[in-house]
Amino acid sequence: MSLRQPFRRNRDADGDPAAALPPEPEAKGVSGKVLRAAVERALRVQQPLVNSYIAKVRQKKPGATPSEVLAALEKQYLITVGGTGAAAGGAALIPGIGTAASLATGAAEVVAVLDASVLYALAAAEVHGLRMEEVERRRALVLAVVLGEGGTQLMQRAVGGSKHWGQQLADTLPLPKLGPVNQTLVRMFVKRFVVRQGALAFGRALPFGAGAVIGAVGNVTVGRSVINSTTRAFGPPPRQWPAAVAAATDPAAIGPAALEDAVKPNGELPG
């Protein structure tokens, strides 16, 4: 699998649920190749940061339960995506060049939102004691939760109707079955994400400060949808830390350098 064609369609796969979908449109703007590359990059870059990210919350909240840590991760995720949208829309405040500058930040903002979404979804899985070892499982998780209801329904069908499909995705769903599932998810993702982000992009480009408000509110709405989908995927968090997760996210074991890397440029994790 390459970054140039990370989701190449397998036209010979029998029973491919993707076959019923129309062909994916040609890439334009931040669609197609840019989105696919952004997903692949985020899956590769964010996975090593997951334990440090959780450990940073545990360091600031000694004795926090999995539920409390998950709430802090949700709060930081919304702060990050909201701040990203406000920054993109805020460029429109600059007279003369602001609107063009805001539109030009679209691709960079998409990458930032995807990075934050991947990190949040993988961290939520880790808090539940579900490590997505293979990139195919991480890809299915992230695409499904970003898609919302459509992605959730597809994953529920893929695992045999289970309401909380995250457990089966992590533990029992065969990798060969994930191939056609991911093909379907990525076509849905490109189509819906481009439409949604495109509408937000024009709103963010409005001058006189309106763009910053629309950008922040729009991205927070997207973030809440991702949180809701993730909650449906995994169900309620465990009451106590699974032993392996507690050890892997122990701030003392992570070390100060790795903990510093877990701080996002938008600001500190919530205290």
Side-chain angles (χ1 to χ4, degrees), residues 107-258:
E109 184 192 359
V110 167
V111 171
V113 171
L114 282 174
D115 274 347
S117 299
V118 169
L119 183 57
Y120 165 73
L122 295 179
E126 186 75 14
V127 169
H128 284 80
L130 302 173
R131 174 165 284 267
M132 303 290 171
E133 296 288 354
E134 295 87 4
V135 68
E136 291 87 354
R137 301 188 193 280
R138 298 197 294 271
R139 185 181 298 122
L141 169 65
V142 170
L143 291 175
V145 299
V146 170
L147 279 167
E149 183 63 27
T152 295
Q153 291 181 0
L154 178 61
M155 291 308 301
Q156 288 175 339
R157 291 196 300 270
V159 303
S162 175
K163 181 179 179 181
H164 302 310
W165 50 267
Q167 178 78 51
Q168 285 74 20
L169 173 63
D171 295 339
T172 62
L173 191 63
L175 285 180
K177 191 173 182 179
L178 272 177
V181 170
N182 274 329
Q183 290 167 7
T184 304
L185 285 170
V186 73
R187 286 203 294 274
M188 293 169 62
F189 169 76
V190 168
K191 181 179 179 181
R192 297 183 188 182
F193 196 89
V194 168
V195 170
R196 182 165 58 188
Q197 288 299 113
L200 289 176
F202 283 107
R204 285 189 297 266
L206 295 174
F208 309 116
V213 175
I214 291 173
V217 173
N219 277 0
V220 168
T221 300
V222 171
R224 291 193 186 280
S225 174
V226 170
I227 290 171
N228 290 337
S229 297
T230 304
T231 301
R232 291 179 64 184
F234 298 125
R239 293 185 178 183
Q240 297 182 338
W241 288 100
V245 179
T249 62
D250 183 355
I254 293 292

